Amino acid sequence: MTLDVAKENYTTTEKEILAIIFALDNFLSYLLSLLAVKTCNFSIDQAKEERKLQLSELDEIRLEAYENSKFYKEKTMKFHDSLMARKDFMVGQKVLLYNSRLGLMGGKLRSKWIGPFVVTNVFPYGTVEIESECTIKSFKVNGHHLKPFLNNPSLLNVVVEDMSLLNPTSLPPP
């Protein structure tokens, strides 16, 4: 608090009264809150302890929520991993590669599996090196993008019966 020229000529008692008025103006809200605490029959020490207990309870709730989310994430990961089939490939095995390129106007009936390819090397953590049979180029891919190629000769020589959808009356008798 700074005194102007007129107030500097006040006596010491008048200056002390000015200091009391200044203090009351600036700290009135604090004094009223203390009075409210006293009239509510709380002690300041008891209110401090209650506030510390509330803060520690909030901290415990936050830690419990964090642990619960961690358990949920672990449980979800276990469930997801149990749904994934383990694919073990051997060197020399024929496989098909999933074509993950997005075609804007691709046909729905077109297969997205290309190949067959031959496995040349199996690395740890699911990486597989494959080689194309026709171009003899080798490259590394994620094992999740591969599936075994089943070359069953009995399925290759099957005679397929053609049926006209335009003229369904030409169906053979049952």
Side-chain angles (χ1 to χ4, degrees), residues 29-42:
S29 61
Y30 177 74
L31 292 174
L32 289 177
S33 65
L34 284 178
L35 181 63
V37 168
K38 291 288 185 182
T39 57
C40 290
N41 204 8
F42 286 128

Side-chain angles (χ1 to χ4, degrees), residues 2-168:
T2 57
L3 298 176
D4 56 23
V5 179
K7 291 181 183 173
E8 285 180 359
N9 294 332
Y10 285 358
T11 63
T12 306
T13 308
E14 290 173 334
K15 288 180 183 175
E16 288 176 355
I17 291 173
L18 280 177
I20 291 172
I21 291 171
F22 175 78
L24 285 175
D25 285 343
N26 289 326
F27 301 111
L28 184 62
S29 61
Y30 177 74
L31 292 174
L32 289 177
S33 65
L34 284 178
L35 181 63
V37 168
K38 291 288 185 182
T39 57
C40 290
N41 204 8
F42 286 128
S43 67
I44 294 177
D45 295 332
Q46 183 182 1
K48 285 181 186 177
E49 291 298 320
E50 287 181 14
R51 183 67 176 155
K52 285 181 184 177
L53 285 174
Q54 289 173 348
L55 289 175
S56 65
E57 286 176 9
L58 285 175
D59 194 36
E60 287 176 12
I61 290 171
R62 182 184 59 83
L63 289 175
E64 185 178 340
Y66 176 74
E67 288 177 10
N68 287 342
S69 68
K70 193 167 115 179
F71 291 141
Y72 173 76
K73 186 176 181 180
E74 288 175 1
K75 190 175 179 181
T76 306
M77 285 178 62
K78 276 185 183 178
F79 176 73
H80 181 264
D81 291 345
S82 70
L83 294 178
M84 294 179 69
R86 179 85 175 138
K87 297 178 185 177
D88 294 323
F89 299 106
M90 295 174 283
V91 175
Q93 181 180 5
K94 288 187 177 183
V95 294
L96 294 174
L97 175 65
Y98 182 73
N99 186 5
S100 60
R101 283 181 276 168
L102 179 66
L104 294 177
M105 298 300 280
K108 291 184 179 181
L109 299 177
R110 192 179 72 212
S111 175
K112 293 184 180 184
W113 294 95
I114 57 173
F117 297 93
V118 178
V119 175
T120 58
N121 196 357
V122 179
F123 297 99
Y125 305 110
T127 305
V128 179
E129 184 176 7
I130 59 175
E131 182 179 279
S132 174
E133 288 183 330
C134 56
T135 61
I136 312 188
K137 289 185 179 180
S138 65
F139 48 95
K140 294 179 185 176
V141 295
N142 187 344
H144 293 290
H145 293 163
L146 298 175
K147 73 176 180 180
F149 176 68
L150 304 173
N151 55 351
N152 190 346
S154 64
L155 293 177
L156 296 176
N157 298 329
V158 173
V159 176
V160 178
E161 183 178 328
D162 288 331
M163 181 183 356
S164 173
L165 294 176
L166 298 175
N167 189 4

